[in-house]
Amino acid sequence: MNTLFELTALELAAAISRGELSSKEALLFSNSACTANADKLNCFTSFSASDPIAAAPVSPLSGVPMAVKDNICVAGTATTCASRMLRDFIPPYTATAVEKLTAAGAVCAGKTNLDEFAIGSTSETSFFGPVKNPWNLEYSPGGSSGGSAAAVAAGLVWYALGSDTGGSIRHPAACCGVTGMKPTYGTVSRYGLVSYASSFDQIGPIARNAADCAAVLDMIRGHDGRDSTSLPGPYLPLSPQLTGDLHGVRIGIPDVYFDEAVDEPTRRAILSCADTLRRRGALVESCHAVGLEHAVHAYYVLACAQASSNLARYDGVRYGCRAEDTHDVQDLFVRSRSLGFGREVRRRILLGTYLLSGDNYETYYKKAVAVRHQVENTFRALWHNYDLLLTPVLPGPPPKLGQEANNPVALYQEDRYVACANLAGLPALSMPCGMHKEGLPIGAQLLGPHMADGAVLNAAFAFQQETDFHRLHPPIFGLGGDAG
Ligand code: GLN
C-alpha cells in the first residue's frame, strides 16, 4: 500500500481505471494516512464521509481522494473559514468548483485548515490552531492554504483545492514542496468561495506536479452564470498543452523580484531552474520591470478595503456567531464581531475601514487603484518581450511557527513576489526547485499573460521532466503512514 503514496493523482487514477485497485482502497489508504498523521499537522478542520465511486471512471481523476480548503462551501458540511465566527455554519449549497469535481468522480476526504478567512500567510491565525509544515514540524507550512499544501505534501490526499487572493496557493505550495496554481482571474468560478477580497480571490489546485494541476483545472474551469466575474468560455483544455517543449519560449527574470532580499540558496535554486528551462529550449534572461515594486503595498490597501466590506455581513444577525446578553442591536454587532473574529482579521477590518473613510478614500484607496493599473501596464509591456516570467515565491525559508506573530508588516512584505499576479489577474504557478539546508523546500514562480495558463503549466511540466524536486517527500512522512 505504501507505494500508493508515491503516485501522482493521474497515476493513481490510471491504476484505478486499469482495475489494479479500487477507489475504495484509495480512500481507505487516504483515510488511514489522515487518521495517523492529520493531528500532527493539524491540517484538517473536518473529515468527510464521502463514498468512493463504484461506477466506471468518468474523468482522468475519477476515484482519487482530494481535500477542499475550508473556505469553499460543500453543502451539508461545516464551512468554518477556520473562524469562531463560522464555526457552526453549514452551507446549503456547494461551490461550483467542488460540484464539478464531484461530477468528475472526485472523492473528498475532508476540509483543510487555513488562516482565518484566508487572511494571512502562515496558517497560524486559524481558530483551530496552527498548521505545521510536514518537512519540519517547527515551521509554518505557509498560507493561507497551509492545510491543503501540508495534506498533499504529507501524502494524505493526492490533490487539494486552495484559494489565492495574494499568494495563498503559491506560498504554501512553495513552503511544502508541492505544485500550486492560481489560474487567470475569472476562469474558475468563485461561487461558493467565501469572499475575502473579491477582485483578487481565485480557486486553484495544489498537487504533486504540474500535470495533476492541469488535470484538476481542466475539470473546474469554465464560465459560471452564478459568478458575475466569470469569463465567457469556451477555454482551450490545458492538459493537451503539456508538450514539454520550450523552444523559442522567452522567459524574463524581473530584477525587482530578484533583489538583495533573496537569500543565497533561493538565488541559486532560481538560477539553476533558469538553466534547466534553457536546456528545454527556453531563452531566459534578466529583465527590468518598473513599477512592480509597489504592487504589494497596493495589494494590502485594496485587500483590506475589500475585506472590511465583505466581512461586514458577519454581525451575529445575518451570519455568524452571536454574543449573549447584549442590550441593543449596536451592542450585539460590536460584541458578536469582537467575539467571532481573531486578531489579524480584526486588524484587517479596522485598516480597511480606515482606508475607505473620509479623505482616506482619495489619499490611499484611489492611489492603490492607480498603482494596480500601473502594475497591469507594466506586465502588458513585459509581454511584448517575454512569454513568461520567473521569480522566487518567497525570499527565504518559510517562517518558524510563532516567529512573525508580532510583526505583521514583515509578513505582508513577504508577499511581494506573489501578490502582483492577483493585482493583474494573471495565471501564476509555484513549483519546488530546491532545498534549504534546514531541509525545507524552495519554490519558483512562473507567471504568464492573461489566459496563458497552458504556457505556464507547460513550462513547469518541462522543468519537472528534467528534475525530481516534485518527487521528494518529507522524510517523516516518507512511507505515507504514521510519522512516528
Ligand atoms: N498573505 C496574503 C494576505 O494575507 C494573501 C492571502 C491569500 O491569498 N488569501 O492577504
Side-chain angles (χ1 to χ4, degrees), residues 69 71 114-115 117-122 143-145 163-172 196-197 200-202 299-300 303-304 344 348 411-412 414-415 418-419 422:
K69 187 177 180 180
N71 61 346
L114 64 150
D115 280 301
F117 281 99
I119 294 178
S121 26
T122 60
S144 65
S145 312
S163 69
D164 193 311
T165 303
S168 277
I169 288 176
R170 292 158 286 152
H171 187 279
Y196 159 17
F200 303 133
D201 297 339
Q202 196 64 179
Y299 165 76
Y300 270 95
C304 289
E344 183 60 22
R348 303 288 185 100
L411 210 50
Y412 301 168
E414 294 241 322
D415 291 335
V418 282
N422 303 76

Side-chain angles (χ1 to χ4, degrees), residues 51-66:
D51 286 328
I53 49 153
V58 291
S59 82
L61 288 184
S62 277
V64 177
M66 53 89 178

